[in-house]
């Protein structure tokens, strides 16, 4: 037995060194088989470096020049440097005045911490109301600007207003640079970035509202959104190295969170972006691991924003969180199934239905358990907007009459056509969309080019993940500007980017020639020529037509002249008691809060039901109500002074039924809106007219203390005298 067992033992002992030798030799053979990396020629490295250097220089220069252009145009438009502080502040209109007023309050505070506390427990703005202004109005830009102004010692160098608007103009420069970089990353040539910037500036009436309202939240937030899109575009590129991928990831994380902190509606835009990524996942047109890293960034930004925004419940009940949570749960279900199996294919088919169902379910559950304020007025507004309901409510009809919430006019499409943006965008969109459908059908039929061992063939324009993400994003959001005019400022900048990318992309031209079966000229050569010639021709034509107009705008010295408002603010600061409370239109109240610091009864903000109700009640001064009714309304808000604006009282509106007094008459039943409505006769005249005549009973309740051509100020009597 021992002799029989011996040989196997000896074989094992001899086999070990033999196997180790075989492994070592196999490793050496594999190492020897790996081809040594070839050194890139110096002239190729120089060409790459020169291309990147020139592109980066062009991108940074474009952003700086645009910021300087905005600063110069603002100076020429308002003659800003030659104005007194009061006249400068009057240029901030509506809600912009409220935002800048809090920036002033932060600078006046004894310390930054004390200023933040006063804003979060603010009872000096709206009478009988304590608000967390930082949370309700997203005042993080003002907090950051005031902190930078004091920390950098800029108070000895520059005035606060110039520092504030300088930051906003600088962010607009970053906005343009980010659009430049995104178009460059997608097309591979910085020529597309130059064309994007040209279209953006020429169509700036439709790309930005920076000229009219500098402190708007979107002017602070959208530059970060553009940086996030640029980082996401680079992150989704398949040929990105480790360091570039890490940089894009960090930039995307920082910009996503900052964007969410700057604007209360930011999570809705990120929701549309998440939908586009999900649609790409359905058709397996991008890298799953990278996209789920983006989902993690969404979740991290939402929860960090929730904590730093004073536990803002709107972020927990947002559709973005529900969608991302549903996508992560759906991924867990797919991980336990072997890839390529029949069950995996079935799950892939029902994945869309599963995610949609989970998203809706999770959102309903979150709204059931998370206390939050429903934006009931917004839901009712959408119902009326889309014709699902009719209403006589003043607030709803007043919102419908706002130009920013109406469909864009024909001039909007005419301007885009004259600048050649719309025709090229439609062409690029059609080609890219058809190419994307072609790729999707190939994937469904399992005719991918990878099965043939070919990668990135020319002409396969619809397979780039970053391009597909942009196409899906535009498909999801492109209808919104046709419903609300204000949303064009979000959509048009990316129309400029996508159109410029398509015109400068050789792959797009090759795709078109492939469909046309062009044989007379070599498609690749013709595509390279057209991708350089067409944008050059467009750029020269834009330069010839629009550059003189831009120079003319900078040469013209305009002037913002409003002496009546200046006189009113001066009188309030000199004559009105410090504890006085003023009542009037919300737009005027915002200016009073900024220019004087006095307390008001309402604000030009439309995201709060209580403020909307206040605005409707104060607007009754332009209705056909009795002096006693108006007096009761004003004293219920502890108002001491009433300001009647002649422009509203004698308004001659261009749109029928959109004047404030008409909307009030409809809401109060004093005007017939539709056939069959019951007309209620009012025995009182219009209050804003009657109070000017100074007869009883109006003089019993109100005493005129100041007036000019535009404003009439009345002191609300505390002791009522009924003597005629």
């Amino acid at each position: 037995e021992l002799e029989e067992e011996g040989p196997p033992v000896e074989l094992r002992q001899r086999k070990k060194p033999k196997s180790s030798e075989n492994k070592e030799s196999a490793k050496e053979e594999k190492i020897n088989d790996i081809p040594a990396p070839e050194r890139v020629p110096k002239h190729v490295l120089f060409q790459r470096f020169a291309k990147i250097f020139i592109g980066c220089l062009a991108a940074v220069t474009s952003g700086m020049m645009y910021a300087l252009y905005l600063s110069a145009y603002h100076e020429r438009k308002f003659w800003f440097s030659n104005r007194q502080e009061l006249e400068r502040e009057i240029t901030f209109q509506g809600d912009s005045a409220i935002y800048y007023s809090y920036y002033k309050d932060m600078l006046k505070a004894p310390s930054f911490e004390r200023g933040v506390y006063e804003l979060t427990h603010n009872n000096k703005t709206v009478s009988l109301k304590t608000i967390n202004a930082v949370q309700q109005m997203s005042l993080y830009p003002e907090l950051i600007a005031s902190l930078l102004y004091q920390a950098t010692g800029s108070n000895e160098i520059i005035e606060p207003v110039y520092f504030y608007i300088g930051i906003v103009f600088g962010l607009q420069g970053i906005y343009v640079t980010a659009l430049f970089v995104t178009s460059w990353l997608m097309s591979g040539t910085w020529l597309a970035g130059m064309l994007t910037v040209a279209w953006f500036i020429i169509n700036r009436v439709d790309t930005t509202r920076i000229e009219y309202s500098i402190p708007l939240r979107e002017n602070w937030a959208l530059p970060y959104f553009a940086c996030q899109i640029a980082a996401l575009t680079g992150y989704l590129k398949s040929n990105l190295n480790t360091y570039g991928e890490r940089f894009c990831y960090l930039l995307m994380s920082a910009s996503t969170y900052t964007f969410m902190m700057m604007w209360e509606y930011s999570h809705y835009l990120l929701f549309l972006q998440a939908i586009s990524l999900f649609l790409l996942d359905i058709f397996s047109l991008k890298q799953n691991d990278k996209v789920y890293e983006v989902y993690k960034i969404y979740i991290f930004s939402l929860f960090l924003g929730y904590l730093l925004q004073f536990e803002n419940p709107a972020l927990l009940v947002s559709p973005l969180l529900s969608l991302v949570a549903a996508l992560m749960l759906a991924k867990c279900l797919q991980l336990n199934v072997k890839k390529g199996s029949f069950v995996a294919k079935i799950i892939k088919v029902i994945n869309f239905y599963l995610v949609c169902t989970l998203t809706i379910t999770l959102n309903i559950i979150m709204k059931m358990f998370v206390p939050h304020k429903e934006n009931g007025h917004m839901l009712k507004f959408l119902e009326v907007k889309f014709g699902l309901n009719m209403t006589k409510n003043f607030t709803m009809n007043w919102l419908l009459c706002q130009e920013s919430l109406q469909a864009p006019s024909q001039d909007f499409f005419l301007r885009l056509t004259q600048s050649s943006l719309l025709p090229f965008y439609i062409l690029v969109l059609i080609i890219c969309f058809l190419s994307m459908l072609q790729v999707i059908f190939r994937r469904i039929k399992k005719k991918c080019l990878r099965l043939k061992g070919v990668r990135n063939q020319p002409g396969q324009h619809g397979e780039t993940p970053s391009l597909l993400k942009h196409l899906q994003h535009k498909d999801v959001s492109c209808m919104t500007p046709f419903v609300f005019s204000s949303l064009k400022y979000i959509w048009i900048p990316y129309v400029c980017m996508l159109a410029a990318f398509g015109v400068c992309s050789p792959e797009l031209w090759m795709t078109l020639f492939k469909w046309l079966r062009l044989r007379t000229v070599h498609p690749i050569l013709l595509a390279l020529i057209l991708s350089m010639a067409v944008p050059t021709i467009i750029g020269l034509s834009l330069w010839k037509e629009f550059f003189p107009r831009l120079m003319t705008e900078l040469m013209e010295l305009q002037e913002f002249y409003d002496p009546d408002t200046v006189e009113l603010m001066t009188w309030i600061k000199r004559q009105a008691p410090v504890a006085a409370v003023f009542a009037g239109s919300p737009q005027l109240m915002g200016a009073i809060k900024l220019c004087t610091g006095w307390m008001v009864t309402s604000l030009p903000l439309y995201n709060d039901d209580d403020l909307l109700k206040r605005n409707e009640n104060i607007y009754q001064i332009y209705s056909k109500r009795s002096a006693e009714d108006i007096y009761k309304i004003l004293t219920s808000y502890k108002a001491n002074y009433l300001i009647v604006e002649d422009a509203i009282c004698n308004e001659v509106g261009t749109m029928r039924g959109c004047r404030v007094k008409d909307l009030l008459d409809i809401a109060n039943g004093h005007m017939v809106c539709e056939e069959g409505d019951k007309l209620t006769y009012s025995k009182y005249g219009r209050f804003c007219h009657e109070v000017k005549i100074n007869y009883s009973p109006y003089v019993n309740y109100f005493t005129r203390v100041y007036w000019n051509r535009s404003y009439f100020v009345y002191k609300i009597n505390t002791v009522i005298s009924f003597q005629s």
Side-chain angles (χ1 to χ4, degrees):
E1 294 178 358
L2 291 175
E3 291 178 357
E4 293 177 358
E5 293 177 357
V9 173
E10 291 178 358
L11 285 174
R12 291 190 188 99
Q13 290 175 350
R14 290 174 184 173
K15 192 173 181 179
K16 288 180 181 179
K18 186 176 179 181
S19 62
S20 61
E21 290 177 1
N22 291 337
K23 289 180 180 179
E24 291 177 358
S25 60
K27 289 180 180 179
E28 291 177 358
E29 291 177 0
K30 289 181 180 179
I31 294 173
N32 294 330
D33 291 340
I34 297 175
E38 298 182 0
R39 288 187 176 182
V40 181
K42 292 184 178 180
H43 69 278
V44 176
L45 289 176
F46 178 77
Q47 289 178 356
R48 292 179 182 175
F49 174 78
K51 179 182 177 181
I52 295 175
F53 176 78
I54 295 175
C56 292
L57 182 63
V60 174
T61 304
S62 299
M64 292 178 61
M65 293 299 293
Y66 180 63
L68 292 175
Y69 167 78
L70 289 177
S71 178
Y73 180 77
H74 182 263
E75 171 64 26
R76 305 294 287 184
K77 182 178 180 180
F78 295 107
W79 209 8
F80 214 65
S81 59
N82 296 310
R83 295 287 185 181
Q84 299 295 325
E85 182 180 3
L86 178 59
E87 295 175 320
R88 291 175 183 174
E89 292 176 349
I90 289 176
T91 61
F92 296 100
Q93 300 289 320
D95 52 351
S96 298
I98 296 298
Y99 297 132
Y100 184 73
S101 70
Y102 288 121
Y103 169 71
K104 284 182 56 181
D105 292 343
M106 285 296 300
L107 296 181
K108 293 178 182 178
S111 65
F112 180 78
E113 294 78 7
R114 182 62 186 176
V116 173
Y117 177 82
E118 290 179 354
L119 291 186
T120 54
H121 303 78
N122 187 277
N123 58 0
K124 298 180 180 180
T125 299
V126 183
S127 61
L128 302 178
K129 191 176 178 67
T130 300
I131 60 175
N132 185 342
V134 178
Q135 179 185 8
Q136 186 167 348
M137 304 177 195
S138 299
L139 296 180
Y140 295 97
E142 282 67 33
L143 297 183
I144 296 173
S146 62
L147 180 62
L148 290 176
Y149 184 75
Q150 294 174 337
T152 57
S154 300
N155 53 344
E156 300 177 357
I157 303 173
I158 189 174
E159 297 180 48
V161 63
Y162 280 108
F163 186 84
Y164 184 86
I165 64 177
I167 293 178
V168 182
F169 290 157
L171 285 175
Q172 297 306 302
I174 295 175
Y175 191 4
V176 167
T177 300
L179 293 175
F180 184 111
V181 172
T182 305
S183 187
W184 181 13
L185 288 172
M186 294 175 63
S187 63
T189 172
W190 52 265
L191 193 61
M194 296 294 292
L195 188 56
T196 300
V197 174
W199 267 328
F200 180 90
I201 296 176
I202 289 170
N203 295 281
R204 70 186 188 282
V205 176
D206 302 307
T207 56
T208 178
R209 286 195 286 185
I210 188 68
E211 296 179 8
Y212 310 104
S213 302
I214 293 176
L216 286 181
R217 302 301 85 179
E218 63 193 55
N219 293 333
W220 288 89
L222 291 181
Y224 295 102
F225 185 54
C227 292
Q228 192 259 4
I229 289 180
L232 180 58
T233 303
Y235 185 69
L236 291 179
K237 292 180 72 70
S238 56
N239 57 347
L240 195 65
N241 58 39
T242 305
Y243 296 103
E245 183 177 313
R246 189 174 301 172
F247 172 77
C248 290
Y249 181 84
L250 294 176
L251 177 60
M252 182 170 50
S253 302
S255 55
T256 301
Y257 169 71
T258 308
F259 174 57
M260 193 170 294
M261 294 292 291
M262 291 291 175
W263 198 19
E264 60 178 323
Y265 302 114
S266 58
H267 56 91
Y268 292 110
L269 284 181
L270 295 176
F271 172 67
L272 296 179
Q273 189 181 85
I275 290 178
S276 66
L277 293 174
F278 166 59
L279 293 178
L280 295 180
D281 186 27
I282 289 295
F283 300 108
S284 301
L285 295 175
K286 46 97 186 100
Q287 306 170 29
N288 291 329
D289 295 337
K290 286 188 175 182
V291 171
Y292 280 101
E293 289 298 322
V294 178
Y295 293 156
K296 293 178 183 178
I297 292 176
Y298 290 154
I299 293 179
F300 174 78
S301 300
L302 281 169
F303 281 106
L304 188 60
Y306 168 76
L307 295 177
L308 295 183
Q309 290 185 9
F310 307 94
E311 299 183 356
N312 185 6
L315 297 180
L316 293 183
V317 299
S318 69
L320 175 63
L321 180 60
S322 302
L323 175 61
V324 174
L327 289 168
M328 302 299 284
L329 289 174
K331 180 186 177 184
C332 295
L333 295 177
Q334 287 182 325
L335 285 177
N336 298 325
V337 181
K338 186 178 180 180
K339 294 183 179 180
S341 63
F342 177 76
V343 178
K345 295 177 182 178
I346 296 298
I347 291 181
K348 194 70 176 179
V349 173
I350 66 175
N351 191 38
F352 181 82
Y353 172 78
L354 178 65
V355 171
C356 292
T357 306
L358 283 175
T359 301
I360 297 174
T361 304
L362 290 175
N363 193 253
I364 293 174
I365 293 175
M366 293 297 290
K367 289 184 176 180
M368 290 174 59
F369 291 97
V370 177
H372 67 286
K373 291 183 179 180
E374 285 283 359
N375 290 329
H377 63 280
M378 293 304 300
L379 296 177
K380 294 178 182 177
F381 169 76
L382 292 176
E383 290 180 359
V384 177
K385 176 68 178 179
F386 294 111
L388 302 177
N389 196 359
M390 295 291 293
T391 182
K392 296 181 181 180
N393 181 268
F394 169 80
T395 301
M396 295 297 103
N397 290 325
W398 185 83
L399 291 174
L400 286 172
C401 287
Q402 299 304 301
E403 184 179 357
S404 60
L405 297 178
Q406 295 178 1
S409 62
Q410 294 181 355
D411 294 338
F412 165 70
F413 300 100
L414 182 61
R415 288 192 299 268
L416 297 184
T417 303
Q418 288 177 343
S419 64
S420 71
L421 174 60
L422 188 60
F424 281 106
Y425 171 71
I426 294 175
L427 175 63
V428 171
L429 190 64
I430 291 174
I431 295 176
C432 292
F433 185 72
L434 293 178
S435 180
M436 182 182 67
L437 291 179
Q438 187 179 14
V439 172
I440 291 173
F441 286 132
R442 284 179 178 176
R443 294 293 177 90
I444 293 176
K445 296 179 180 180
K446 295 185 179 181
K447 292 183 179 180
C448 302
L449 293 177
R450 286 182 298 178
L451 297 177
K452 299 180 181 180
V454 183
R455 294 184 180 180
N456 296 331
Q457 278 191 357
Q460 300 301 321
H461 201 57
E463 297 207 38
T464 308
S466 58
L467 168 62
L468 291 168
K469 189 272 296 183
H470 286 288
L471 287 176
Q472 300 274 6
H473 197 189
K474 298 300 164 290
D475 291 341
V476 172
S477 61
C478 68
M479 294 305 296
T480 53
F482 298 100
V483 180
F484 303 113
S485 178
S486 60
L487 297 180
K488 68 182 180 182
Y489 302 108
I490 302 173
W491 180 60
I492 298 300
Y494 299 97
V495 169
C496 300
M497 182 194 69
L498 195 62
F501 146 74
V503 170
C504 300
S505 175
E507 287 82 2
L508 182 136
W509 295 106
M510 291 173 61
T511 301
L512 180 61
F513 296 151
K514 184 177 179 181
W515 291 343
L516 297 177
R517 297 182 180 180
L518 186 64
R519 301 180 185 275
T520 56
V521 184
H522 199 285
I524 298 179
L525 178 61
L526 186 58
L528 290 174
I529 294 174
L530 289 179
S531 64
M532 298 179 64
V534 173
T536 302
I537 295 173
I538 295 173
L540 291 176
S541 63
L542 293 177
W543 177 279
K544 182 179 179 181
E545 183 177 357
F546 292 98
F547 182 75
R549 300 183 187 179
L550 297 177
M551 292 298 101
T552 303
E553 290 177 353
L554 291 180
M555 294 301 294
E556 290 181 354
L557 183 60
Q558 304 177 38
E559 185 177 2
F560 183 81
Y561 186 68
D562 191 1
D564 293 340
T565 304
V566 173
E567 293 174 2
L568 173 65
M569 300 303 167
T570 304
W571 180 87
I572 292 175
K573 295 174 71 173
R574 292 177 178 176
Q575 302 295 331
V578 177
V581 178
F582 284 83
S585 68
Q587 288 73 19
L588 181 60
M589 294 301 100
I592 289 176
K593 172 63 177 69
L594 168 60
C595 298
T596 67
W598 266 245
M599 192 177 294
V600 295
T601 57
S602 59
L603 292 175
L605 300 174
Y606 313 111
N607 57 355
D608 185 87
D609 290 335
D610 181 62
L611 287 177
L612 286 174
K613 188 62 178 177
R614 281 175 174 249
N615 294 343
E616 180 178 354
N617 291 336
I618 299 299
Y619 265 129
Q620 296 296 325
I621 62 178
Y622 301 103
S623 67
K624 297 178 181 179
R625 300 281 293 272
S626 66
E628 184 180 1
D629 290 344
I630 302 299
Y631 180 83
K632 289 180 179 179
I633 292 173
L634 296 176
T635 53
S636 67
Y637 296 119
K638 301 298 182 182
N640 305 117
Y641 290 89
L642 168 65
I643 303 178
V644 176
E645 298 175 61
D646 195 62
I648 300 178
C649 189
N650 299 318
E651 182 181 5
V652 181
T654 56
M655 294 183 60
R656 183 188 177 190
C658 275
R659 298 183 301 179
V660 170
K661 52 187 179 182
D662 293 339
L663 297 176
L664 289 168
D665 290 344
I666 293 173
N668 297 334
H670 300 155
M671 179 184 291
V672 177
C673 181
E674 298 288 342
E675 294 185 4
D677 290 346
K678 185 177 180 180
L679 178 63
T680 303
Y681 174 75
S682 176
K683 61 181 181 179
Y684 304 104
R686 197 169 302 278
F687 176 83
C688 63
H689 289 153
E690 301 296 326
V691 73
K692 296 177 184 178
I693 304 177
N694 287 334
Y695 69 91
S696 182
Y698 295 93
V699 294
N700 301 329
Y701 297 99
F702 307 97
T703 302
R704 187 166 64 187
V705 293
Y706 173 81
W707 71 93
N708 57 28
R709 292 177 301 176
S710 302
Y711 304 102
F712 294 81
V713 182
Y714 297 90
K715 189 177 187 304
I716 302 173
N717 299 330
T718 54
V719 179
I720 304 174
S721 173
F722 289 96
Q723 296 178 1
S724 57

